[in-house]
Coordinates of all heavy atoms in Angstrom, one line a residue:
F30 N 0.8 -1.2 0.0 CA 0.0 0.0 0.0 C 0.9 1.2 0.0 O 0.5 2.3 -0.6 CB -0.9 0.0 1.2 CG -2.1 -1.0 1.0 CD1 -2.1 -2.2 1.8 CD2 -3.1 -0.8 0.2 CE1 -3.1 -3.1 1.7 CE2 -4.2 -1.7 0.0 CZ -4.1 -2.8 0.8
G31 N 2.0 1.2 0.7 CA 2.9 2.4 0.8 C 3.5 2.7 -0.6 O 3.5 3.9 -1.0
K32 N 3.9 1.7 -1.3 CA 4.5 1.9 -2.6 C 3.4 2.3 -3.6 O 3.7 3.1 -4.5 CB 5.2 0.6 -3.1 CG 5.8 0.7 -4.5 CD 6.8 1.9 -4.6 CE 8.1 1.6 -3.8 NZ 9.1 2.6 -4.0
S33 N 2.2 1.8 -3.5 CA 1.1 2.2 -4.4 C 0.9 3.7 -4.2 O 0.7 4.5 -5.2 CB -0.2 1.5 -4.0 OG 0.0 0.1 -4.3
L34 N 0.9 4.2 -3.0 CA 0.7 5.6 -2.7 C 1.9 6.4 -3.3 O 1.7 7.5 -3.8 CB 0.6 5.9 -1.2 CG -0.7 5.4 -0.5 CD1 -0.5 5.4 1.0 CD2 -1.9 6.2 -0.9
D35 N 3.1 5.9 -3.1 CA 4.3 6.6 -3.7 C 4.2 6.7 -5.2 O 4.5 7.8 -5.7 CB 5.5 5.8 -3.3 CG 5.9 5.9 -1.8 OD1 5.3 6.8 -1.1 OD2 6.7 5.1 -1.4
L36 N 3.7 5.7 -5.9 CA 3.7 5.7 -7.3 C 2.5 6.7 -7.8 O 2.7 7.4 -8.7 CB 3.4 4.3 -7.9 CG 4.5 3.3 -7.7 CD1 4.1 2.0 -8.2 CD2 5.8 3.8 -8.4
Y37 N 1.5 6.7 -7.0 CA 0.4 7.6 -7.3 C 0.9 9.1 -7.2 O 0.6 9.9 -8.1 CB -0.8 7.4 -6.3 CG -1.9 8.4 -6.3 CD1 -3.0 8.3 -7.2 CD2 -1.9 9.5 -5.4 CE1 -4.0 9.2 -7.2 CE2 -2.9 10.4 -5.4 CZ -3.9 10.3 -6.3 OH -4.9 11.2 -6.3
K38 N 1.6 9.4 -6.2 CA 2.1 10.8 -6.0 C 3.2 11.0 -7.1 O 3.3 12.2 -7.6 CB 2.7 10.9 -4.6 CG 1.6 10.8 -3.5 CD 2.2 10.9 -2.1 CE 1.2 10.7 -1.0 NZ 1.8 10.8 0.3
Q39 N 4.0 10.0 -7.4 CA 5.0 10.2 -8.4 C 4.5 10.6 -9.8 O 5.0 11.5 -10.4 CB 5.9 8.9 -8.5 CG 6.9 8.9 -9.6 CD 7.6 7.5 -9.7 OE1 7.8 6.9 -8.7 NE2 7.8 7.1 -10.9
V40 N 3.5 9.9 -10.2 CA 2.9 10.2 -11.5 C 2.1 11.4 -11.5 O 1.9 12.1 -12.6 CB 2.2 8.9 -12.1 CG1 3.1 7.7 -12.2 CG2 0.9 8.6 -11.3
D41 N 1.4 11.7 -10.5 CA 0.7 12.9 -10.3 C -0.3 13.2 -11.4 O -0.2 14.3 -12.1 CB 1.6 14.1 -10.1 CG 1.0 15.3 -9.5 OD1 -0.2 15.2 -9.0 OD2 1.6 16.4 -9.4
L42 N -1.1 12.2 -11.7 CA -2.0 12.3 -12.9 C -2.9 13.5 -12.9 O -3.1 14.1 -13.9 CB -2.9 11.0 -12.9 CG -3.9 11.0 -14.0 CD1 -3.3 11.0 -15.4 CD2 -4.7 9.7 -13.9
N43 N -3.4 13.9 -11.8 CA -4.3 15.1 -11.7 C -3.6 16.3 -12.2 O -4.1 17.1 -13.0 CB -4.8 15.3 -10.3 CG -5.7 14.2 -9.8 OD1 -6.9 14.2 -10.1 ND2 -5.2 13.3 -8.9
S44 N -2.4 16.6 -11.8 CA -1.6 17.7 -12.2 C -1.2 17.7 -13.7 O -1.3 18.7 -14.4 CB -0.4 17.9 -11.4 OG -0.6 18.2 -10.0
V45 N -0.9 16.5 -14.2 CA -0.5 16.3 -15.6 C -1.7 16.6 -16.5 O -1.5 17.3 -17.5 CB 0.0 14.9 -15.8 CG1 0.2 14.6 -17.3 CG2 1.2 14.6 -15.1
L46 N -2.9 16.1 -16.1 CA -4.0 16.5 -17.0 C -4.3 17.9 -17.0 O -4.6 18.5 -18.0 CB -5.3 15.7 -16.5 CG -5.2 14.1 -16.7 CD1 -6.4 13.5 -16.0 CD2 -5.1 13.8 -18.2
L47 N -4.2 18.6 -15.9 CA -4.4 20.0 -15.8 C -3.4 20.8 -16.6 O -3.7 21.8 -17.2 CB -4.4 20.5 -14.3 CG -5.6 20.0 -13.5 CD1 -5.4 20.5 -12.0 CD2 -6.9 20.7 -14.0
K48 N -2.2 20.3 -16.6 CA -1.1 20.9 -17.3 C -1.4 21.0 -18.8 O -1.0 22.0 -19.5 CB 0.2 20.1 -17.1 CG 1.4 20.6 -17.9 CD 2.6 19.6 -17.6 CE 3.8 20.0 -18.5 NZ 4.4 21.3 -18.1
F49 N -2.1 20.0 -19.3 CA -2.4 19.9 -20.7 C -3.8 20.5 -20.9 O -4.4 20.2 -22.0 CB -2.3 18.5 -21.3 CG -0.9 18.0 -21.4 CD1 -0.2 17.4 -20.4 CD2 -0.2 18.3 -22.7 CE1 1.1 17.0 -20.6 CE2 1.1 17.9 -22.8 CZ 1.8 17.3 -21.8
G50 N -4.4 21.1 -20.0 CA -5.7 21.7 -20.2 C -6.9 20.8 -20.1 O -8.0 21.1 -20.6
M51 N -6.7 19.5 -19.6 CA -7.7 18.5 -19.6 C -8.5 18.6 -18.3 O -8.1 18.1 -17.2 CB -7.1 17.1 -19.7 CG -6.0 17.0 -20.8 SD -6.8 17.0 -22.5 CE -7.6 15.5 -22.5
K52 N -9.6 19.4 -18.3 CA -10.5 19.6 -17.1 C -11.8 18.9 -17.4 O -12.3 18.9 -18.5 CB -10.6 21.0 -16.9 CG -9.3 21.8 -16.6 CD -9.6 23.3 -16.4 CE -8.2 24.0 -16.1 NZ -8.5 25.5 -15.9
P53 N -12.5 18.5 -16.3 CA -13.8 18.0 -16.5 C -14.7 19.1 -17.2 O -14.6 20.2 -16.8 CB -14.3 17.7 -15.1 CG -13.0 17.5 -14.3 CD -12.0 18.4 -14.9
S54 N -15.6 18.6 -18.1 CA -16.3 19.6 -18.8 C -17.6 19.0 -19.4 O -17.6 17.8 -19.7 CB -15.4 20.2 -20.0 OG -16.2 21.0 -20.8
I55 N -18.6 19.9 -19.6 CA -19.8 19.4 -20.3 C -19.5 19.3 -21.8 O -20.4 18.7 -22.5 CB -21.0 20.3 -20.0 CG1 -20.6 21.8 -20.5 CG2 -21.3 20.4 -18.5 CD1 -21.9 22.7 -20.4
N56 N -18.5 19.9 -22.3 CA -18.1 19.7 -23.6 C -17.2 18.5 -23.8 O -16.5 18.0 -22.9 CB -17.3 20.9 -24.1 CG -18.1 22.2 -24.1 OD1 -19.3 22.2 -24.5 ND2 -17.6 23.3 -23.5
Y57 N -17.2 17.9 -25.0 CA -16.5 16.6 -25.2 C -15.1 16.8 -25.6 O -14.7 17.8 -26.3 CB -17.2 15.8 -26.3 CG -18.7 15.4 -25.9 CD1 -19.6 15.2 -27.0 CD2 -19.1 15.3 -24.6 CE1 -20.9 14.9 -26.7 CE2 -20.4 14.9 -24.3 CZ -21.3 14.8 -25.3 OH -22.6 14.5 -25.1
Y58 N -14.2 15.9 -25.2 CA -12.8 15.8 -25.7 C -12.8 14.7 -26.8 O -13.8 14.0 -27.0 CB -11.9 15.4 -24.6 CG -11.7 16.5 -23.6 CD1 -12.5 16.6 -22.4 CD2 -10.7 17.5 -23.7 CE1 -12.3 17.6 -21.4 CE2 -10.5 18.5 -22.8 CZ -11.3 18.6 -21.6 OH -11.1 19.5 -20.7
N59 N -11.7 14.5 -27.4 CA -11.4 13.3 -28.2 C -10.5 12.4 -27.4 O -9.6 12.9 -26.6 CB -10.8 13.7 -29.5 CG -10.8 12.5 -30.4 OD1 -10.1 11.5 -30.3 ND2 -11.6 12.7 -31.5
I60 N -10.7 11.1 -27.4 CA -9.8 10.2 -26.6 C -8.4 10.4 -27.0 O -7.5 10.2 -26.1 CB -10.3 8.8 -26.8 CG1 -9.7 7.9 -25.6 CG2 -9.9 8.2 -28.1 CD1 -10.2 8.3 -24.3
S61 N -8.1 10.8 -28.2 CA -6.7 11.1 -28.6 C -6.1 12.2 -27.8 O -4.8 12.3 -27.6 CB -6.6 11.4 -30.1 OG -7.3 12.5 -30.4
D62 N -6.9 13.1 -27.3 CA -6.4 14.3 -26.5 C -5.7 13.7 -25.2 O -4.7 14.1 -24.8 CB -7.5 15.2 -26.1 CG -8.1 15.9 -27.3 OD1 -7.4 16.1 -28.3 OD2 -9.3 16.2 -27.2
F63 N -6.4 12.7 -24.6 CA -5.8 12.1 -23.4 C -4.6 11.2 -23.7 O -3.6 11.3 -23.1 CB -6.9 11.2 -22.7 CG -8.0 12.0 -22.0 CD1 -9.1 12.4 -22.7 CD2 -7.8 12.3 -20.7 CE1 -10.1 13.1 -22.0 CE2 -8.8 13.0 -20.0 CZ -10.0 13.5 -20.7
K64 N -4.7 10.4 -24.8 CA -3.6 9.5 -25.1 C -2.4 10.4 -25.5 O -1.3 10.0 -25.0 CB -4.0 8.7 -26.3 CG -5.0 7.6 -26.0 CD -5.3 6.8 -27.3 CE -6.4 5.7 -27.1 NZ -6.7 5.0 -28.3
D65 N -2.5 11.4 -26.3 CA -1.4 12.2 -26.7 C -0.7 12.9 -25.5 O 0.5 12.9 -25.4 CB -1.8 13.1 -27.8 CG -2.2 12.5 -29.1 OD1 -1.9 11.2 -29.2 OD2 -2.8 13.1 -29.9
A66 N -1.5 13.5 -24.7 CA -1.0 14.2 -23.5 C -0.2 13.3 -22.6 O 0.9 13.7 -22.2 CB -2.2 14.9 -22.8
L67 N -0.8 12.1 -22.2 CA -0.2 11.2 -21.3 C 1.1 10.6 -21.9 O 2.1 10.5 -21.2 CB -1.2 10.2 -20.9 CG -2.4 10.7 -20.1 CD1 -3.4 9.5 -19.8 CD2 -2.0 11.4 -18.8
T68 N 1.0 10.2 -23.2 CA 2.2 9.7 -23.8 C 3.3 10.7 -23.9 O 4.5 10.3 -23.7 CB 1.8 9.1 -25.2 OG1 0.8 8.1 -25.0 CG2 3.0 8.5 -25.8
R69 N 3.0 11.9 -24.2 CA 4.0 12.9 -24.3 C 4.6 13.2 -23.0 O 5.9 13.4 -22.9 CB 3.3 14.2 -24.9 CG 4.3 15.4 -25.0 CD 3.5 16.6 -25.5 NE 4.3 17.8 -25.5 CZ 3.9 19.0 -25.8 NH1 2.6 19.2 -26.1 NH2 4.7 20.1 -25.7
F70 N 3.9 13.2 -21.9 CA 4.5 13.6 -20.6 C 5.2 12.4 -20.0 O 6.3 12.6 -19.6 CB 3.3 14.0 -19.7 CG 3.9 14.5 -18.3 CD1 4.3 15.8 -18.2 CD2 4.0 13.7 -17.2 CE1 4.8 16.3 -17.0 CE2 4.5 14.1 -16.0 CZ 4.9 15.4 -15.9
Y71 N 4.6 11.2 -20.0 CA 5.3 10.1 -19.3 C 6.2 9.3 -20.2 O 7.1 8.6 -19.7 CB 4.2 9.1 -18.8 CG 3.3 9.7 -17.8 CD1 1.9 9.9 -18.0 CD2 3.8 10.1 -16.5 CE1 1.1 10.4 -17.0 CE2 3.0 10.6 -15.5 CZ 1.7 10.8 -15.8 OH 0.9 11.3 -14.8
G72 N 6.2 9.5 -21.5 CA 7.0 8.8 -22.4 C 6.7 7.3 -22.6 O 7.5 6.5 -23.2
V73 N 5.5 6.9 -22.2 CA 5.0 5.6 -22.3 C 3.6 5.6 -22.7 O 2.9 6.6 -22.6 CB 5.2 4.7 -21.0 CG1 6.7 4.6 -20.6 CG2 4.4 5.4 -19.9
V74 N 3.1 4.5 -23.2 CA 1.7 4.3 -23.7 C 0.8 3.9 -22.5 O 1.1 2.8 -22.0 CB 1.6 3.4 -24.9 CG1 0.1 3.3 -25.4 CG2 2.5 3.9 -26.0
P75 N -0.2 4.6 -22.1 CA -1.1 4.2 -21.1 C -2.2 3.4 -21.6 O -2.3 3.1 -22.8 CB -1.6 5.5 -20.5 CG -1.7 6.4 -21.7 CD -0.5 6.0 -22.6

């Protein structure tokens, strides 16, 4: 559980999505918006 928490804080998904302007919205995104942002930041395919 401790390492899971560490990894969660390490990847900081909430901040990464905000960094790329990905906020909850009544308007739609394209799924590629998420894929491209996450792959670009983390350097791996989620």
Side-chain angles (χ1 to χ4, degrees):
F30 288 105
K32 180 56 70 174
S33 299
L34 291 167
D35 289 344
L36 294 175
Y37 171 86
K38 295 175 183 179
Q39 173 186 321
V40 301
D41 197 8
L42 177 62
N43 291 283
S44 295
V45 171
L46 291 175
L47 290 175
K48 174 183 175 69
F49 285 90
M51 313 289 289
K52 301 178 181 179
S54 173
I55 59 173
N56 299 313
Y57 300 150
Y58 292 92
N59 194 291
I60 196 63
S61 63
D62 297 331
F63 286 90
K64 289 180 180 177
D65 293 347
L67 297 176
T68 301
R69 178 180 173 187
F70 184 84
Y71 295 115
V73 295
V74 180

